[in-house]
Amino acid sequence: MRLDKAVSLTGMTRSEARKAIAAGRVSVDGQTARDPGAQVAPEQVRVDGGEPVPVGPLHIMLNKPAGVITATEDRRLPTVLDLLPEALRRRELGPVGRLDRDVTGLVLLTTDGQLAHRLISPRWKAEKLYRARCEGRLTEAEAEAFAGGIELSDFTAKPARLEILEASEEGSTADVVLTEGKFHQVKRMFAAVGHPLVALERLRIGCVTLDPALGPGEWRELTGEEARGLLALCGMDEINLK
Ligand code: URA
């Protein structure tokens, strides 16, 4: 990695990093380094003799509020990355799949592209649990329809579990568990059985449940146990724990 890029991982812009290098504030393996383009091992880089540049994978859970989009940048709308501090925004985090702008709840962000890819690939069958509020009274007929695989205009959804938590003519609340995530899938499944959604929140991806201590817009790093659970689920524990 280029030296200026490594220094920027401490939370600086590239131009701030170059200034810090020019000012002699940066060392590589204990020696002051002056060439911003030099190839370096980031774990050997320190600024002002401080902690080494952070390396290794980073996994974050975030409680996405409505109105924020699951993208890394956008000219008009706030993105999930905008909710993180500057230093973390420089760590090349990418979201695991997407939530619609009006959908709230758990978004995972990771620097591990393979993990992100596997968590959304139906092949690895990582469950996604959503809490849905819909119009009208849900019954076991809808739960059976979800379990049988709902036919949508362009594909048939894989069987999904629907657990009704509360149902009345005014509206119903249910948990739904899927192992795939096509465009607007949950909204379309509920609409297909005649119960348009009023609100949708994601509560779990695989073994990682949204931390109830996180308010809308708040985030935290995954614990080691959570990260290991996700890697194991995706057949990556052997690769990553060597
Ligand atoms: N299903 C939807 O319809 N929207 C989402 O954001 C996620 C799942």
Side-chain angles (χ1 to χ4, degrees), residues 99-100 103 130 184-187 200:
L99 285 183
D100 297 335
V103 173
Y130 296 87
H184 293 334
Q185 182 160 346
V186 180
K187 290 177 183 162
L200 186 63

Side-chain angles (χ1 to χ4, degrees), residues 33-53:
R34 301 268 179 196
D35 176 6
Q39 287 296 315
V40 297
E43 62 273 21
Q44 295 188 332
V45 176
R46 291 173 195 262
V47 180
D48 298 329
E51 290 296 305
V53 166

